């Protein structure tokens, strides 16, 4: 892909991997998944199930449901426990909500 670094492509390719090796596209296990891909995996799942702009969902899932799903993925050894613990302890989900709200406001002001 022109203009995209090999590192960025590697992170993007790995972010659907699961720590237990059941992910895709390569079936990598924990020791072969980069920290950056683990971070992207957590944030990608959070965003995809909490988003309010999905054509297949009438409204976003409540935060407690989203966080419970993430916890279940951690307990199933799909997502990194240390990253999830940080996500929860620092309430990063609230920061992501704030960023999404700001971006939506900016988009409305442009449009």
């Amino acid at each position: 892909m022109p203009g995209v670094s090999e590192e960025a492509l590697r992170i993007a390719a790995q972010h659907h991997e699961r720590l237990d090796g059941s992910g895709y596209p390569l079936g990598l296990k924990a020791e072969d998944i980069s920290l950056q891909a683990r971070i992207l995996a957590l944030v990608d799942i959070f965003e995809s199930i909490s988003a309010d702009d999905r054509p297949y969902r009438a409204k976003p899932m409540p935060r407690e449901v989203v966080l419970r799903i993430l916890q279940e993925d951690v307990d199933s050894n799909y997502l990194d426990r240390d990253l999830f613990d940080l996500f929860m302890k620092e309430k990063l989900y609230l920061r992501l909500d704030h960023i999404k709200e700001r971006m939506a406001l900016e988009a409305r002001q442009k449009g």
Side-chain angles (χ1 to χ4, degrees), residues 9-70:
L9 292 172
R10 184 179 59 75
I11 293 166
Q14 290 182 0
H15 91 281
H16 284 291
E17 301 291 349
R18 293 178 169 179
L19 300 181
D20 70 350
S22 68
Y24 66 92
L26 303 171
L28 300 176
K29 292 196 173 192
E31 61 271 10
D32 299 315
I33 303 170
S34 71
L35 174 62
Q36 295 89 343
R38 293 173 187 220
I39 293 168
L40 181 56
L42 177 66
V43 174
D44 181 56
I45 294 169
F46 174 81
E47 169 57 20
S48 67
I49 60 179
S50 66
D52 59 358
D53 62 349
R54 303 296 166 147
Y56 48 82
R57 188 178 323 115
K59 60 182 181 175
M61 288 187 188
R63 179 178 294 124
E64 58 274 3
V65 173
V66 172
L67 296 176
R68 187 177 66 238
I69 291 169
L70 290 173

Side-chain angles (χ1 to χ4, degrees), residues 22-23 31 37 39 41 61-62 76-77 85 93-94 99-100 106 108-109:
S22 68
E31 61 271 10
I39 293 168
M61 288 187 188
S76 297
N77 199 32
D85 289 348
Y93 51 88
L94 295 177
I99 291 167
K100 288 172 23 177
E106 290 169 357
R108 284 193 302 273
Q109 290 172 342

